[in-house]
Amino acid sequence: MKGELAQNLSKIVGIENVRDDPASLFVYGSDASVHSSPPQVIARPQTVEDIKNILRYANENKIPVTTRGAGSGMSGQAVPVGGGIVLDMKGMNRILEIRAQDTYVR
């Protein structure tokens, strides 16, 4: 890890859940659309508490956050056009509730 942002996030989610190497930044800088823009860092939270702490840190430091699931979107919504943090949600792998009538999943 090179950057200060990555080092600070590793204190929140652990060094194994933070990436800032060029290959990862390239991959996480695009989805299945034609859009691309690399983030500064990728963080993979494992708990709701991790998410709260990352978002608190980002808010206090005015760092943009882009949430990403599988990155298979076709419209660029997972592309971090403002740089900042990509919040990789793959570590959050439990479905707690589905409300199909509301198109809501928790």
Side-chain angles (χ1 to χ4, degrees):
M1 260 186 287
K2 296 181 267 182
E4 179 182 349
L5 178 55
Q7 291 174 8
N8 290 337
L9 289 175
S10 71
K11 295 174 187 172
I12 296 171
V13 295
I15 195 167
E16 68 279 2
N17 293 310
V18 177
R19 305 289 300 266
D20 69 347
D21 59 281
S24 295
L25 298 179
F26 177 79
V27 170
Y28 280 79
S30 62
D31 60 8
S33 73
V34 299
H35 307 286
S36 66
S37 179
Q40 290 172 265
V41 68
I42 301 130
R44 184 178 284 180
Q46 302 298 307
T47 66
V48 172
E49 197 64 30
D50 286 348
I51 295 169
K52 289 178 188 177
N53 291 330
I54 290 168
L55 293 178
R56 184 177 297 118
Y57 174 83
N59 186 51
E60 288 170 357
N61 292 281
K62 307 292 189 245
I63 300 167
V65 176
T66 303
T67 305
R68 179 182 172 105
S72 60
M74 301 294 284
S75 62
Q77 293 179 333
V79 176
V81 294
I85 301 167
V86 164
L87 199 59
D88 180 350
M89 301 303 288
K90 286 185 238 166
M92 304 297 287
N93 60 4
R94 291 184 340 163
I95 296 173
L96 302 177
E97 173 184 10
I98 296 177
R99 292 196 319 238
Q101 70 276 15
D102 299 322
T103 63
Y104 173 82
V105 176
R106 180 169 68 103

